[in-house]
Amino acid sequence: MKKLNLFLGVAFLFASSSLFAQGGWAPCNDCEVQQVDMQYHEGSDNVSGIGQDGEGNFASVLQYGTGNLSNVNQDGADDQFGYGGSYNQSWIHQDGNNNVSDVEQFGDSNISIVWQSGSSNYAKQLVGAGYAESNWARVTQVGLGNGSSQTQFYDNNSAHTIQVGDNNDAIQYQSSGPNDGASGSTAYIYQDGDNNAVNQTQNGSLNRATTTQYGSGNTSSETQNAGSYAIGLFGSTNISTVYQDGTNNKNCLTQTEGTTGWNVSDVYQNGMGNASYTEQTANSVGSAGNYSTVNQMGNYNTACVQQNSLGIQ
């Protein structure tokens, strides 16, 4: 038997929330995040390409100017299984306009850091591909029109994106597992500016995502899917924390829990005309359930929460 619980948010008395429009749901589940697809290199500035095989390698790139391009590939696939290397580090600093940075790391315990200062910068990282664990990726972008995309696979990965400026766009995709008891992934995005967008997707057990946005017109979208392979009371727990301070912000969150854990969501919005939409699904008989908190401070805010507890009869 499917039980559907509708929890319409904790909006407090400070918020004026229009929960229904024309007798139906309020239009708060229409978050759209633009994909990061900007890849361009202009001018005759410096171009850097680094390829390293093995373990314990270190790559450092420092570029000043406009139109710079940098690419780092670290792969320790020197055995018959091609598992990749370990303990590789990549540090890229680009100061200028129209910079492009691309990093690929394969294996365990890798670190990648990209710093871009200027306008129209682009950074895309693929860290921890293959049989990888305990990888750490960070991108810092300061300027206008920046974009970032980070992808991590397998367990205990951490991704951080910090953007300060206008029209920034950040996407982080993480997939942990498939071994039981995996510690999962951690994703954090901080944006300070206008018209920023977030898209965080996590698949696996013990997913933790945090989004912080300051400014006007920001959009946040998170998807967390805890698989059925994890064990323990909190083996498949999704945790999402979203803080938005501004006007006309939107947050859309989808959480799906697979075994015996929890879906936990905490949304805080401060401003006017903000909208929050949360959908939680506890997918099995042993699922512990859903927990959602929505705090909105201001006027003309909207909160919608839909909870599906399939495992609770």
Side-chain angles (χ1 to χ4, degrees):
M1 175 181 179
K2 175 179 178 181
K3 177 180 289 186
L4 176 63
N5 299 318
L6 299 180
F7 174 62
L8 301 181
V10 182
F12 287 111
L13 296 178
F14 301 95
S16 176
S17 299
S18 301
L19 296 177
F20 295 94
Q22 302 298 326
W25 281 106
C28 57
N29 60 341
D30 58 346
C31 292
E32 296 183 359
V33 179
Q34 298 295 324
Q35 298 296 314
V36 177
D37 55 5
M38 42 190 291
Q39 309 180 41
Y40 44 84
H41 171 67
E42 298 177 356
S44 59
D45 295 278
N46 299 322
V47 176
S48 175
I50 297 177
Q52 294 174 319
D53 292 334
E55 298 182 351
N57 294 310
F58 178 79
S60 178
V61 177
L62 177 60
Q63 294 175 319
Y64 290 97
T66 61
N68 295 317
L69 173 67
S70 178
N71 181 31
V72 175
N73 185 292
Q74 294 174 320
D75 186 0
D78 52 4
D79 55 33
Q80 59 178 333
F81 301 104
Y83 286 166
S86 299
Y87 302 102
N88 294 309
Q89 295 188 37
S90 172
W91 300 68
I92 298 177
H93 184 109
Q94 295 174 316
D95 190 349
N97 299 318
N98 301 319
N99 296 316
V100 177
S101 179
D102 187 298
V103 177
E104 291 187 1
Q105 291 177 320
F106 298 87
D108 301 333
S109 303
N110 295 309
I111 297 176
S112 178
I113 299 176
V114 176
W115 174 280
Q116 294 176 321
S117 178
S119 301
S120 302
N121 295 314
Y122 166 83
K124 182 177 182 179
Q125 293 183 314
L126 176 61
V127 180
Y131 295 87
E133 294 184 338
S134 303
N135 292 296
W136 194 81
R138 176 167 179 165
V139 173
T140 301
Q141 295 173 316
V142 180
L144 300 173
N146 297 315
S148 176
S149 176
Q150 295 181 306
T151 301
Q152 294 176 317
F153 295 102
Y154 289 86
D155 307 332
N156 312 326
N157 293 311
S158 178
H160 300 257
T161 299
I162 299 176
Q163 294 175 318
V164 179
D166 300 325
N167 302 316
N168 294 315
D169 178 25
I171 298 174
Q172 293 178 304
Y173 168 75
Q174 294 174 317
S175 180
S176 64
N179 56 302
D180 292 342
S183 296
S185 299
T186 301
Y188 172 75
I189 293 179
Y190 173 89
Q191 293 176 320
D192 189 348
D194 300 324
N195 302 318
N196 296 315
V198 174
N199 185 346
Q200 292 183 323
T201 300
Q202 294 177 315
N203 295 322
S205 59
L206 284 176
N207 297 310
R208 295 170 294 273
T210 302
T211 300
T212 302
Q213 294 176 316
Y214 292 93
S216 300
N218 295 316
T219 299
S220 174
S221 177
E222 293 87 29
T223 301
Q224 293 177 317
N225 182 17
S228 60
Y229 42 78
I231 59 177
L233 178 60
F234 297 101
S236 295
T237 300
N238 295 312
I239 302 175
S240 174
T241 303
V242 176
Y243 178 89
Q244 293 176 319
D245 190 343
T247 304
N248 299 321
N249 294 310
K250 293 183 180 180
N251 172 252
C252 295
L253 171 66
T254 301
Q255 292 177 317
T256 303
E257 191 283 320
T259 51
T260 59
W262 286 78
N263 291 314
V264 179
S265 172
D266 188 3
V267 178
Y268 180 88
Q269 293 176 319
N270 183 27
M272 298 179 59
N274 297 312
S276 174
Y277 174 79
T278 301
E279 182 178 355
Q280 297 174 316
T281 300
N283 235 357
S284 65
V285 175
S287 296
N290 302 308
Y291 177 82
S292 176
T293 301
V294 178
N295 300 325
Q296 293 176 319
M297 308 289 290
N299 299 317
Y300 308 109
N301 296 313
T302 301
C304 303
V305 176
Q306 177 173 318
Q307 294 174 317
N308 307 297
S309 300
L310 305 183
I312 302 177
Q313 305 299 324

